[in-house]
């Protein structure tokens, strides 16, 4: 696969060069450089795809999530991550290349330019003959054999039958849906009358806000580790936000837990999360806590610039997230919002 053309071709190549450098320099502190096969296994991709990500001569754009995971697994310099993210986003903006053999743009049900429309008079029909081509009596032969070839009656019949079939199926679907709703409503009403949960309570969705706090522990990578590290920094602990929940992060968690009268086991569960998160609003916005908030918002699909500053733009992103998760739209990062954000991240990755 050759590199894409266009103004961002250099970004694609620069990203591949940076990822290649991370891989080449990963052998340090007595650790061997991982093979591409073993590295691809840890990333959950095939070796051929990884080889393209690491090949500046014929590069293929690595997704942002893969770039972040490579940065963590290869223990690349923290200063490289912002540039890698920017290159990945710039490279991903390259429009898709057109196939050298584009498919026929004519829809399957469109009338070709050289075909006679279904409701038009054939070109070879005599204009002086006022009788339409399809008005020939059933027991008479048509005056012009060409009229038989272009007669559209079979096509109109097939279309009519298809439309009739679809209408019947739609009608049956409506009846089935209506019956199901009626049965479901009766069941809920019966349970409510017998002391069961009310209809409103039974119908209320158990969204992310109702989820439990995730367990973060040693060996976790990416979003769990980064969130814990950013929040530890906000509480004054000197840990590196490298996305790898290693020994240093576990030790910092133990120190934090001991200072708050918690069981110092180095694992971040419900009790530790409740002390670790910070309520963020326009009057209380510690930089690293805001970084954690912006990181989680962006990772959950709500586009947010990661600046560490609680700007009006961040407030709007927070409002958008809260509205989408059926939370009170306050523009404040409260415990329910933090819990919903953590529940909205991607799959947990553990080494």
């Amino acid at each position: 696969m050759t590199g894409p053309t266009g103004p961002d071709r250099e970004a694609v190549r620069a990203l591949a060069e940076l990822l290649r450098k991370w891989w080449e320099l990963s052998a340090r502190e007595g650790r061997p450089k991982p093979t591409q096969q073993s590295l691809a296994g840890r990333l959950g991709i095939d070796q051929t795809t990884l080889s393209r990500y690491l090949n500046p001569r014929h590069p293929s754009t690595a997704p942002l999530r893969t770039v972040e995971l490579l940065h963590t697994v290869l223990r690349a310099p923290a200063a490289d991550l912002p540039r890698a993210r920017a290159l990945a986003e710039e490279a991903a903006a390259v429009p898709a290349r057109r196939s050298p053999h584009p498919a026929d743009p004519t829809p399957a049900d469109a009338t070709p330019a050289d075909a006679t429309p279904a409701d038009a008079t054939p070109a070879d029909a005599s204009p002086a003959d006022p009788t339409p081509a399809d008005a020939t009596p059933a027991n008479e032969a048509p005056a012009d054999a060409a009229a038989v070839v272009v007669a559209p009656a079979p096509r109109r019949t097939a279309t009519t039958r298809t439309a009739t079939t679809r209408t019947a199926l739609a009608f049956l679907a409506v009846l089935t849906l209506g019956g199901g709703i009626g049965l479901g409503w009766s069941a809920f009403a019966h349970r409510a009358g017998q002391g069961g949960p009310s209809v409103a309570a039974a119908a209320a969705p158990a969204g992310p806000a109702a989820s439990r706090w995730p367990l973060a522990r040693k060996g976790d990578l990416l979003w769990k580790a980064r969130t814990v590290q950013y929040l530890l920094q906000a509480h004054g602990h000197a840990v590196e936000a490298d996305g790898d929940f290693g020994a240093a992060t576990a030790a910092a968690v133990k120190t934090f837990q001991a200072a708050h009268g918690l069981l110092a086991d180095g694992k971040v569960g419900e009790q530790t999360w409740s002390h670790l998160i910070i309520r963020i609003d326009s009057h209380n916005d510690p930089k690293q806590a805001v970084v954690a908030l912006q990181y989680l918002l962006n990772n959950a699909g709500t586009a947010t610039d990661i600046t560490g500053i609680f700007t009006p733009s961040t407030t709007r992103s927070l409002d958008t997230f809260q509205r989408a998760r059926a939370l009170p739209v306050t523009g404040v990062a409260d415990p329910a919002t933090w819990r919903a954000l953590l529940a909205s991240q991607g799959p947990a990755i553990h080494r």
Side-chain angles (χ1 to χ4, degrees):
M1 175 178 179
T2 58
T5 59
D8 293 308
R9 181 176 181 180
E10 290 304 316
V12 179
R13 181 180 292 109
L15 177 61
E17 290 175 349
L18 182 59
L19 299 182
R20 181 89 183 184
K21 184 188 77 171
W22 291 352
W23 179 54
E24 295 288 355
L25 300 180
S26 61
R28 58 182 182 276
E29 299 176 1
R31 292 185 294 111
K33 182 177 74 173
T35 65
Q36 288 193 15
Q37 182 178 6
S38 65
L39 186 56
R42 296 185 67 180
L43 297 176
I45 59 178
D46 60 86
Q47 184 178 347
T48 301
T49 300
L50 176 63
S51 179
R52 289 171 178 168
Y53 294 161
L54 303 177
N55 186 355
R57 294 175 64 91
H58 301 285
S60 179
T61 304
L64 178 59
R65 193 169 191 81
T66 299
V67 171
E68 291 183 338
L69 188 54
L70 274 170
H71 180 272
T72 299
V73 172
L74 297 175
R75 298 179 181 272
D80 285 357
L81 185 56
R83 178 168 176 261
R85 283 174 172 162
L87 288 172
E89 292 174 354
E90 185 178 356
V94 177
R97 300 179 66 188
R98 291 192 175 187
S99 169
H101 303 289
D104 183 4
T106 305
D109 58 349
T111 304
D114 59 350
T116 303
D119 57 353
T121 303
D124 55 357
S126 172
D129 184 6
T131 305
D134 56 357
T136 303
N139 58 350
E140 293 184 18
D144 190 345
V148 177
V149 176
V150 297
R155 185 173 180 178
R156 288 201 301 269
T157 301
T159 303
T160 304
R161 288 176 179 172
T162 301
T164 303
T165 302
R166 290 177 179 173
T167 302
L169 289 175
F171 182 73
L172 289 174
V174 170
L175 287 178
T176 303
L177 179 61
I181 292 175
L183 289 174
W185 182 265
S186 299
F188 280 134
H190 176 73
R191 290 186 63 190
Q194 298 296 323
S198 66
V199 173
S211 304
R212 292 187 176 185
W213 294 97
L215 176 64
R217 65 194 191 283
K218 187 176 179 180
D220 283 334
L221 303 174
L222 293 182
W223 64 268
K224 280 189 180 180
R226 288 190 194 282
T227 305
V228 171
Q229 290 164 339
Y230 286 139
L231 290 173
L232 284 171
Q233 290 177 351
H235 284 280
H237 294 267
V239 294
E240 183 181 1
D242 59 0
D244 186 350
F245 199 130
T249 301
V253 170
K254 290 179 181 180
T255 302
F256 176 86
Q257 290 170 325
H260 289 81
L262 303 172
L263 174 64
D265 58 1
K267 299 177 182 179
V268 182
E270 181 177 359
Q271 293 298 320
T272 304
W273 278 118
S274 64
H275 287 79
L276 193 60
I277 60 168
I278 296 175
R279 177 187 172 89
I280 298 176
D281 55 33
S282 58
H283 304 291
N284 184 43
D285 55 349
K287 181 176 180 179
Q288 291 310 109
V290 174
V291 169
L293 173 65
Q294 293 169 331
Y295 171 76
L296 291 175
L297 281 169
N298 196 58
N299 220 33
T302 305
T304 310
D305 292 332
I306 303 175
T307 62
I309 303 173
F310 194 62
T311 61
S313 176
T314 302
T315 303
R316 287 193 294 272
S317 295
L318 187 55
D319 288 347
T320 299
F321 176 84
Q322 290 174 326
R323 187 175 296 107
R325 299 309 189 280
L327 295 167
V329 182
T330 60
V332 175
D334 55 10
T337 301
W338 280 105
R339 190 167 62 248
L341 277 167
L342 291 168
S344 301
Q345 302 304 300
I349 301 177
H350 190 86
R351 58 179 168 81

